[in-house]
Amino acid sequence: MKIALVAQHTTSLAEDARLRELSRSLAGKGHRVTVYARKDGAAAPAKAELEPGVQIELIGPGAKHASDESQLLAQVPAFSQPLHERWRHERPDVVHALRWTSGLASLAAARDLRIPVVQSFDSLGVAERRHHVLPVSVGTERIRLEPAIGRSVNAVVAGSSDEESDLTRLGVPRRSIKVVPCGVDTDEFNPEGPVADRTGRHRLVTVADLQEHDALATLLQALSKVPGAELVVAGGPPRAKLRGDMAYRRLAKVAESLDVTGRVLFAGEVGRGALPPLLRSADLLVNVSEYDPTGMLSVQAMACGTPVVATAVGGQVDAVVDGTTGILVPPGRPALLAQRIRQLLAHPMLLEAFSVAAADRARSRYSWDRIAHETLAVYDTAVDKAAALAA
């Protein structure tokens, strides 16, 4: 099968780990994959063979780097027309658009060519607006257009059951939606391998944007009720630059007011290579994000054999099996969060059982081999649907 992956939001596979792993996994199953990404004006070749079966083509005038969705939307016509010309001369069997502006470009380019289009949104505007991630003053075009895209394509890949519910409320037929989560690299994230240095205390780890002040303040409040435990907060600027970061300074004041400063380490930005050792060093990953469409951090921790305590939102509800691979708690409940953490830390055998179950679930449900297999099944459905409509 000749597969076109359209990623107008990015300029290279290095920027998007999910896109890189998906294309590699699809090619590993014998398919030819072409990734269409945005040219940003840099002196990069227009075409490149990244590895056997995976080619990337950069499209666009390269005159301006798009830094937000409004700019990406404005560049859709300049992106879709070259796509149309390429597909007219070398037709792919299926197109998979990643994110909403890629969907617009793909639908425009595939028009009159009878090429089936599959859509992944990654995160919906209505969900981001509901969770206050998307300000009321922006995203109007996106919220208006995403339902139309979902109803126009041949199939939609939802990243979670929560996203599937949102899509059906937006009028996308449920029969057109298939839940396929983001995968995890189980060669990189697994229980074996280096472990970051740690003290003799119980260790909690969280990885978050320091701008998520309310969620992290909730975690700090919970920590104050878990005597003897330490918390490593990974995220934000590099550690050497933390003191100049306003979000860090606000959280440091919260930690001081709760008298937990001595038990909190703000690690700053943690590179991808350092993340698995950090996750392996934790007794628990605590993911308190108030909006998490994929639950990917929780899955990465589970793949490392680290149980998870997470807020019951978005993709985390699918990822964490409550009472088996971790614990789910409602957001904004520091006392309950602390209680659940204490219960787990007080029972080492239960933690060990959770660890084994977590690693097994990550391998069996979230390996890229399985995700590629399920994605190909969606492509087959889209191709059959397009053929039936054309008959």
Side-chain angles (χ1 to χ4, degrees), residues 266-325:
F266 287 93
E269 181 182 24
V270 173
R272 184 176 176 90
L275 183 57
L278 177 62
L279 294 174
R280 293 185 194 108
S281 77
D283 294 294
L284 290 170
L285 174 82
V286 186
N287 191 339
V288 291
S289 177
E290 295 179 352
Y291 175 62
D292 190 336
T294 66
M296 183 41 50
L297 179 63
S298 296
V299 174
Q300 289 171 337
M302 287 163 48
C304 289
T306 301
V308 176
V309 176
T311 46
V313 296
Q316 309 222 98
V317 177
D318 293 350
V320 180
V321 181
D322 190 32
T324 301
T325 68

Side-chain angles (χ1 to χ4, degrees), residues 34-38 45-48 55-59 79 86 90:
T34 302
V35 177
Y36 296 93
R38 192 183 74 255
K47 293 185 180 181
Q55 178 173 282
I56 186 168
E57 294 193 23
L58 301 180
I59 294 177
F79 192 87
R86 283 166 169 78
E90 188 173 358

Side-chain angles (χ1 to χ4, degrees), residues 101-168:
T101 57
S102 296
L104 288 175
S106 298
L107 286 169
R111 187 178 298 127
D112 303 327
L113 297 179
R114 295 183 177 179
I115 303 172
V117 178
V118 175
Q119 177 69 44
S120 291
F121 290 104
D122 290 352
S123 176
L124 289 167
V126 291
E128 293 185 12
R129 179 70 57 81
R130 184 169 68 245
H131 293 281
H132 309 293
V133 176
L134 187 68
V136 176
S137 58
V138 299
T140 304
E141 299 97 335
R142 176 184 174 188
I143 288 175
R144 177 174 58 84
L145 289 169
E146 282 180 337
I149 296 168
R151 292 191 293 265
S152 300
V153 296
N154 299 95
V156 178
V157 174
S160 68
S161 55
D162 185 67
E163 184 180 340
E164 180 186 34
S165 297
D166 275 336
L167 286 165
T168 57

Side-chain angles (χ1 to χ4, degrees), residues 96-247:
H96 187 172
L98 306 174
R99 302 194 186 180
W100 71 281
T101 57
S102 296
L104 288 175
S106 298
L107 286 169
R111 187 178 298 127
D112 303 327
L113 297 179
R114 295 183 177 179
I115 303 172
V117 178
V118 175
Q119 177 69 44
S120 291
F121 290 104
D122 290 352
S123 176
L124 289 167
V126 291
E128 293 185 12
R129 179 70 57 81
R130 184 169 68 245
H131 293 281
H132 309 293
V133 176
L134 187 68
V136 176
S137 58
V138 299
T140 304
E141 299 97 335
R142 176 184 174 188
I143 288 175
R144 177 174 58 84
L145 289 169
E146 282 180 337
I149 296 168
R151 292 191 293 265
S152 300
V153 296
N154 299 95
V156 178
V157 174
S160 68
S161 55
D162 185 67
E163 184 180 340
E164 180 186 34
S165 297
D166 275 336
L167 286 165
T168 57
R169 284 193 290 269
L170 291 174
V172 179
R174 189 175 292 275
R175 64 180 179 276
S176 299
I177 307 168
K178 173 66 175 177
V179 176
V180 182
C182 184
V184 65
D185 185 344
T186 52
D187 290 330
E188 182 179 11
F189 293 90
N190 61 69
E192 306 301 325
V195 179
D197 293 338
R198 57 172 290 174
T199 67
R201 290 172 166 166
H202 286 300
R203 169 171 284 186
L204 312 177
V205 168
T206 193
V207 183
D209 185 337
L210 299 187
Q211 299 289 340
E212 295 185 67
H213 177 84
D214 292 347
L216 289 172
T218 295
L219 178 52
L220 290 172
Q221 291 171 44
L223 179 68
S224 70
K225 303 176 188 301
V226 186
E230 67 178 12
L231 170 65
V232 178
V233 181
R239 190 175 181 186
K241 297 182 178 180
L242 277 175
R243 291 188 179 278
D245 184 76
M246 181 61 72

